[in-house]
Amino acid sequence: MTDIILPSKEDKEQIDNLVSSLFTQAKEKDAAEYIASVKYFFDMISLHLKSPNDELGETINQVFELTQSTITGNFSFKLFSYLYVQIFESENWLDLSFNLLSIINGQCCNRKPFKKIITSENKLNARMEIERILKKTISNDDQIEQIRVNINRVSNPYTVVQEKINKIAQLSRQVNFESLGKLLKKLYVNDYRNDFIHSNYVIYKGFFNLVKAQKNISLEALMNITSLTAYLFIVIAGKANDEIEKIQTNGSLEYKGKCGSITVSFLSDGTLEQKSAMLCENI
């Protein structure tokens, strides 16, 4: 049986302080860029409409409720693993984290801050082209198969998340916010995510045995990182939502920055209206 592991009080306090400092520093550096990043995170037209982040937050709460009541044994771990994949499949919170770090670094935010990362489709096209050339130049089938295996390894589309986290970690070091990068690197285990989503695993005697990666990780360790990952997402989403609620409470707020200002108003029909006087191209 796999016991549910919830974040400790100490872990929660560390994440709370980390996220609070991230949002505060970004807002103090450039409030206009800050609110633009928050609005990108929700990416919604009306506050009456649920955002994808709301759905993920509900899923997190539902999984935690189920695994603490009716669901037991290895199935509770599988639900946690599903949740882990869902969180890292959601790009918005990683985008927001990178944008806030960029603002602290004196840069403009961007709706798609990781757009320069090679996409899965581009990697697939490159892999197919390499294989076509190999078949023309190498006649030994065994050699071709080994090269194909190596190509698959380096062009694995699931490494895109890893690349994003690497970029966040790199930027966090530049702005003396290294704790965020370290935390994300600790929480993201690419082999775990990859083998679970492709059902290449066996659960045996308290360990998650990864078939492709040919290694095992204790269920306790994976439950712990999933709980921390879920809590980190909830805190980030909560801080962003707090800013939207401030606008709703005040009716309208102006956010000033180095490139101009953004005024966001909450209208009677529940929609957000934005009036900007921005010079940066990315807003």
Side-chain angles (χ1 to χ4, degrees):
M1 179 175 175
T2 307
D3 293 329
I4 302 304
I5 299 175
L6 301 177
S8 67
K9 180 180 179 181
E10 181 182 355
D11 286 335
K12 285 184 176 181
E13 288 179 351
Q14 288 179 352
I15 290 175
D16 288 342
N17 293 335
L18 174 66
V19 174
S20 178
S21 180
L22 176 65
F23 275 73
T24 299
Q25 287 188 40
K27 189 174 183 179
E28 289 176 351
K29 184 77 174 185
D30 195 307
E33 295 289 341
Y34 163 81
I35 193 59
S37 295
V38 170
K39 288 183 84 274
Y40 290 162
F41 174 69
F42 285 101
D43 197 22
M44 59 184 179
I45 300 173
S46 170
L47 289 180
H48 292 318
L49 300 177
K50 291 170 64 177
S51 75
N53 307 298
D54 296 324
E55 292 290 353
L56 181 53
E58 282 187 9
T59 301
I60 291 172
N61 290 330
Q62 289 163 352
V63 168
F64 271 78
E65 288 176 5
L66 280 173
T67 52
Q68 292 182 77
S69 56
T70 58
I71 306 299
T72 59
N74 288 340
F75 187 52
S76 63
F77 170 77
K78 292 175 183 178
L79 273 178
F80 256 52
S81 299
Y82 160 79
L83 185 61
Y84 183 80
V85 172
Q86 283 276 296
I87 294 171
F88 279 110
E89 283 289 342
S90 173
E91 299 179 351
N92 284 1
W93 69 288
L94 293 177
D95 292 353
L96 177 58
S97 299
F98 187 85
N99 270 330
L100 294 177
L101 289 171
S102 296
I103 295 168
I104 294 172
N105 199 35
Q107 300 170 328
C108 292
C109 67
N110 197 303
R111 183 177 290 275
K112 295 186 180 296
F114 299 107
K115 62 183 178 182
K116 293 184 179 179
I117 291 180
I118 299 175
T119 64
S120 302
E121 182 180 358
N122 290 338
K123 288 181 177 180
L124 178 61
N125 291 337
R127 184 176 64 194
M128 292 173 64
E129 179 63 17
I130 291 172
E131 288 199 26
R132 185 185 68 79
I133 295 172
L134 286 175
K135 288 178 180 179
K136 285 186 176 182
T137 57
I138 300 176
S139 58
N140 188 302
D141 290 339
D142 290 337
Q143 285 183 322
I144 291 177
E145 180 59 29
Q146 184 57 52
I147 293 173
R148 182 180 293 115
V149 169
N150 292 335
I151 291 173
N152 285 337
R153 183 177 296 119
V154 300
S155 62
N156 180 359
Y158 295 97
T159 60
V160 171
V161 177
Q162 185 69 69
E163 291 169 7
K164 288 184 176 184
I165 290 174
N166 289 342
K167 286 187 174 294
I168 291 174
Q170 180 181 5
L171 183 55
S172 69
R173 289 193 296 270
Q174 293 177 16
V175 297
N176 296 318
F177 221 95
E178 194 171 4
S179 52
L180 177 61
K182 285 183 176 180
L183 177 60
L184 285 172
K185 279 182 167 290
K186 171 188 173 182
L187 296 180
Y188 184 68
V189 183
N190 190 65
D191 288 334
Y192 167 40
R193 176 183 180 275
N194 195 29
D195 279 33
F196 177 80
I197 202 170
H198 291 289
S199 297
N200 288 314
Y201 66 89
V202 175
I203 298 175
Y204 184 66
K205 290 187 176 180
F207 283 87
F208 185 81
N209 298 274
L210 300 94
V211 176
K212 281 191 174 181
Q214 296 185 343
K215 64 181 182 182
N216 57 57
I217 308 172
S218 74
L219 298 184
E220 181 178 353
L222 294 177
M223 294 283 272
N224 184 52
I225 67 169
T226 300
S227 292
L228 290 174
T229 301
Y231 188 75
L232 176 61
F233 171 85
I234 288 172
V235 175
I236 289 176
K239 290 294 290 184
N241 190 63
D242 288 345
E243 196 64 47
I244 298 298
E245 289 185 351
K246 288 178 185 177
I247 298 171
Q248 183 176 358
T249 300
N250 290 276
S252 179
L253 287 176
E254 182 182 16
Y255 297 82
K256 296 181 179 180
K258 64 179 182 180
C259 296
S261 65
I262 293 178
T263 299
V264 183
S265 302
F266 184 83
L267 304 182
S268 58
D269 62 356
T271 58
L272 287 176
E273 181 185 59
Q274 174 180 313
K275 294 181 180 179
S276 8
M278 300 298 297
L279 302 178
C280 293
E281 296 180 358
N282 292 329
I283 298 298

